[in-house]
Amino acid sequence: MKRSILTFILILILISFCSISGYCDEYDTLWENTDEQTKEYLTEIGINELNFDELFELSPTRVIRFILNLALNKGLNVTHYLIKILSVLLISAIATSFLKENQSLNNVVSLTGTLIIISFLIEPISRILMDVTVGIKNSAVFIDLSLPIITSIIIATRNPTLALTYNSFSIYLSVIISTLADKIIVPVASSMLSFVVLSSFSEEDYKSKLLVSVRKMIIMIISFFSTIYTGVLTTKSILATSSDSVTIRGIKFISGTFIPIVGGNVADALSSVFSSFIMMKNTLGVFIIIVIILINLPIIIEMLLWYFVLQLCSIISSLLGTRYITEIFENFSTIISLLNIVMFFITFILVITTGVVIMFGK
Amino acid sequence: MNEIIKIAIVSFVFVLLSVILKQNRPEFVFLLRVFVVIILVSFIIDYVSELISKILSIVTIFNIDSLHISLLFKVVGITLVTDIITDTLIDNGESSIANVITFISKLLVLFLTMPLINGLIIISLRFIE
């Protein structure tokens, strides 16, 4: 009885030293700094604040309903454009069918249709480009915000090497992602867009091949980079965890051996405190993953819808025999798929980085 | 349905008259041809205007920018009229004038689509910047 009371008091003392309440304040700060749109999405899936219970009670039905609602809302906007495009496509196809024998006039109508369709598409696609940039930057900003909190909690779980690994990887990652958004994605996608728009008057079909080659090249670079990154991160995390586990065992051994009478209880109390910190770390990690997915998911869904719409328009256009317009749809869908791949890659890398930290570090 | 019967009758009469005129007064065949084209177009002009107003009403229902659709209609109208004129001219051996008319119609289309082209070039340059 006496030993139990002593253990309980020791746990209380250790908890007060480790200041769990301080971390709870940090949780609130992180919640407050999450952008309003993401907060709305979090509320929709049933997370009203950052704590273990809210995350644990996350229902798959609510998540699926949220995704369906999101797709429906984005789909309505995309359908509006689809109707606009189809109406121009049909009028052009009917007019060109009247002018089958006069190829030069046929081309004039076809090119006018192409111009009008480009003017319809340019606004939503440039908006998507901006959304992609903002999404990537928001993800990087959120990682920057959460980094000190999760690093300090990882250190509190007596995993300093893992914390160092995560810290250095995340800092590099957020810098790389921000640079990627500003210096590579926006210029490349903008150049591709302007190239597609300006070359839409050309009869040669070399541009679609060029765009496909650029997309293949970027996919290859991204695959290579993500493989290397994931490999290095996992290896370093395994090594860091094994190094930290030696330290933790050492602390338990020292307290169990050298503290007289209550040494074993101190070791047990330490285990309890570490477990509570691990729970905090995992809760925060899961929250970071959810927020990153919620920042990027609406843009990914919108781009997927646009990709399907452009592919559908391309099929209809090729059935109607309007060659110029078919090429435009194919080229725009290539740009959209490229942006989607980049978005998927960034979300994947951020989720993997946080996921590895949750998995390792016992 | 009535219109197609009227068109068939006019076409039949035109063929008969043109055969007779080609033998006696070939210089009037061209005038007859133009006259028949005008009559045929007058038969369907009401249908075309009704068709355009129906399409425009659909455009309004779906909240589509009518500026673009009306531009497309103008271009389609110009090209169809040019097609009819050039066919008639080529049939009468005036292919050089037919080519000039085709060129003029292309210029007209370019003039109509110029604001659109200008806007797209500005957007493209903004992207490059």
Side-chain angles (χ1 to χ4, degrees):
Chain A
M1 184 64 188
K2 210 173 177 183
R3 277 172 76 96
S4 304
I5 293 165
L6 208 60
T7 310
F8 181 70
I9 292 164
L10 271 170
I11 289 173
L12 281 180
I13 291 165
L14 278 168
I15 286 173
S16 65
F17 271 121
C18 296
S19 70
I20 285 179
S21 58
Y23 291 119
C24 290
D25 290 343
E26 295 290 335
Y27 269 28
D28 292 339
T29 316
L30 190 62
W31 174 265
E32 279 160 20
N33 286 328
T34 310
D35 69 301
E36 288 303 317
Q37 184 69 61
T38 314
K39 261 191 222 169
E40 269 178 40
Y41 292 151
L42 283 166
T43 315
E44 275 181 52
I45 60 170
I47 299 170
N48 297 306
E49 58 182 310
L50 172 50
N51 64 42
F52 178 80
D53 293 335
E54 296 268 328
L55 292 174
F56 192 70
E57 283 166 14
L58 193 65
S59 135
T61 324
R62 271 188 100 154
V63 174
I64 291 166
R65 202 182 299 141
F66 163 75
I67 293 170
L68 287 177
N69 280 338
L70 204 64
L72 197 71
N73 286 336
K74 299 278 179 193
L76 283 173
N77 186 33
V78 176
T79 315
H80 175 67
Y81 281 102
L82 178 68
I83 293 166
K84 276 166 90 170
I85 292 163
L86 283 182
S87 59
V88 174
L89 198 61
L90 281 174
I91 294 167
S92 302
I94 291 165
T96 48
S97 72
F98 284 137
L99 300 162
K100 273 277 182 257
E101 286 170 16
N102 197 334
Q103 194 55 46
S104 65
L105 290 176
N106 191 321
N107 284 349
V108 168
V109 174
S110 206
L111 273 174
T112 311
T114 312
L115 274 176
I116 293 171
I117 286 174
I118 291 175
S119 68
F120 283 160
L121 288 175
I122 203 84
E123 186 263 321
I125 289 181
S126 51
R127 189 175 42 77
I128 284 173
L129 181 61
M130 291 318 293
D131 286 350
V132 167
T133 320
V134 171
I136 293 169
K137 280 188 175 173
N138 281 349
S139 304
V141 166
F142 187 75
I143 286 291
D144 281 344
L145 277 173
S146 62
L147 197 59
I149 306 168
I150 196 160
T151 310
S152 58
I153 294 176
I154 296 168
I155 291 169
T157 60
R158 299 298 179 266
N159 282 298
T161 327
L162 183 68
L164 185 70
T165 308
Y166 177 73
N167 198 32
S168 56
F169 267 81
S170 296
I171 287 170
Y172 282 126
L173 197 62
S174 69
V175 171
I176 287 170
I177 285 171
S178 300
T179 317
L180 197 72
D182 272 341
K183 302 275 189 285
I184 297 170
I185 296 167
V186 175
V188 168
S190 303
S191 311
M192 282 167 82
L193 263 177
S194 56
F195 174 69
V196 167
V197 171
L198 291 175
S199 62
S200 59
F201 310 106
S202 136
E203 281 189 30
E204 297 297 322
D205 187 23
Y206 61 84
K207 53 188 176 290
S208 51
K209 285 175 193 163
L210 188 76
L211 289 179
V212 170
S213 308
V214 170
R215 193 185 63 176
K216 275 184 186 168
M217 200 174 73
I218 289 175
I219 291 171
M220 227 163 69
I221 293 167
I222 280 174
S223 311
F224 177 76
F225 178 74
S226 58
T227 312
I228 297 288
Y229 178 83
T230 318
V232 173
L233 178 72
T234 316
T235 319
K236 278 202 87 168
S237 299
I238 291 169
L239 292 173
T241 312
S242 53
S243 154
D244 290 333
S245 67
V246 172
T247 318
I248 293 167
R249 278 179 195 152
I251 293 168
K252 281 180 190 170
F253 174 75
I254 289 166
S255 57
T257 314
F258 294 104
I259 299 172
I261 306 164
V262 290
N265 296 354
V266 170
D268 290 342
L270 272 171
S271 296
S272 305
V273 172
F274 291 157
S275 300
S276 69
F277 277 122
I278 286 168
M279 197 180 84
M280 284 181 79
K281 181 199 75 179
N282 290 352
T283 307
L284 187 61
V286 169
F287 179 74
I288 291 170
I289 288 175
I290 291 172
V291 168
I292 285 164
I293 290 173
L294 286 179
I295 288 171
N296 296 322
L297 190 69
I299 309 161
I300 289 173
I301 287 177
E302 193 177 359
M303 281 197 283
L304 278 176
L305 287 170
W306 266 109
Y307 183 75
F308 288 131
V309 162
L310 289 170
Q311 286 293 319
L312 181 75
C313 288
S314 165
I315 292 165
I316 294 169
S317 169
S318 62
L319 286 175
L320 293 171
T322 46
R323 190 171 60 85
Y324 285 105
I325 305 175
T326 311
E327 281 172 26
I328 283 297
F329 290 132
E330 281 170 4
N331 294 336
F332 274 118
S333 70
T334 308
I335 294 171
I336 290 286
S337 73
L338 178 67
L339 287 174
N340 216 355
I341 288 163
V342 171
M343 238 8 216
F344 263 126
F345 162 71
I346 286 167
T347 314
F348 167 79
I349 285 290
L350 290 174
V351 168
I352 284 288
T353 310
T354 316
V356 163
V357 174
I358 295 175
M359 277 168 62
F360 294 109
K362 300 278 160 61
Chain B
M1 189 63 191
N2 285 337
E3 265 61 33
I4 197 74
I5 293 165
K6 283 180 197 169
I7 288 165
I9 291 166
V10 169
S11 308
F12 188 68
V13 171
F14 165 71
V15 172
L16 281 177
L17 282 175
S18 74
V19 169
I20 295 163
L21 281 175
K22 268 178 190 168
Q23 286 169 353
N24 303 319
R25 305 291 293 271
E27 67 270 20
F28 286 111
V29 175
F30 177 70
L31 284 177
L32 179 71
R33 201 172 278 164
V34 172
F35 183 66
V36 168
V37 167
I38 292 166
I39 289 174
L40 291 177
V41 170
S42 71
F43 281 151
I44 56 148
I45 199 85
D46 290 339
Y47 285 100
V48 172
S49 61
E50 201 180 321
L51 183 75
I52 290 172
S53 65
K54 274 186 181 170
I55 292 172
L56 285 175
S57 69
I58 293 169
V59 163
T60 318
I61 290 167
F62 286 110
N63 196 22
I64 301 168
D65 187 6
S66 59
L67 220 83
H68 289 100
I69 300 290
S70 62
L71 172 71
L72 190 62
F73 276 132
K74 278 177 193 168
V75 171
V76 169
I78 288 169
T79 48
L80 286 178
V81 170
T82 311
D83 193 43
I84 292 165
I85 294 167
T86 49
D87 279 353
T88 314
L89 286 168
I90 290 165
D91 284 350
N92 287 289
E94 299 289 349
S95 57
S96 59
I97 294 184
N99 285 338
V100 171
I101 289 173
T102 309
F103 177 69
I104 288 168
S105 76
K106 282 180 184 173
L107 275 182
L108 273 176
V109 170
L110 187 65
F111 176 75
L112 283 175
T113 52
M114 209 53 216
L116 210 61
I117 295 170
N118 195 30
L120 288 178
I121 289 170
I122 288 168
I123 290 169
S124 302
L125 290 176
R126 214 172 285 164
F127 275 132
I128 293 168
E129 278 171 13

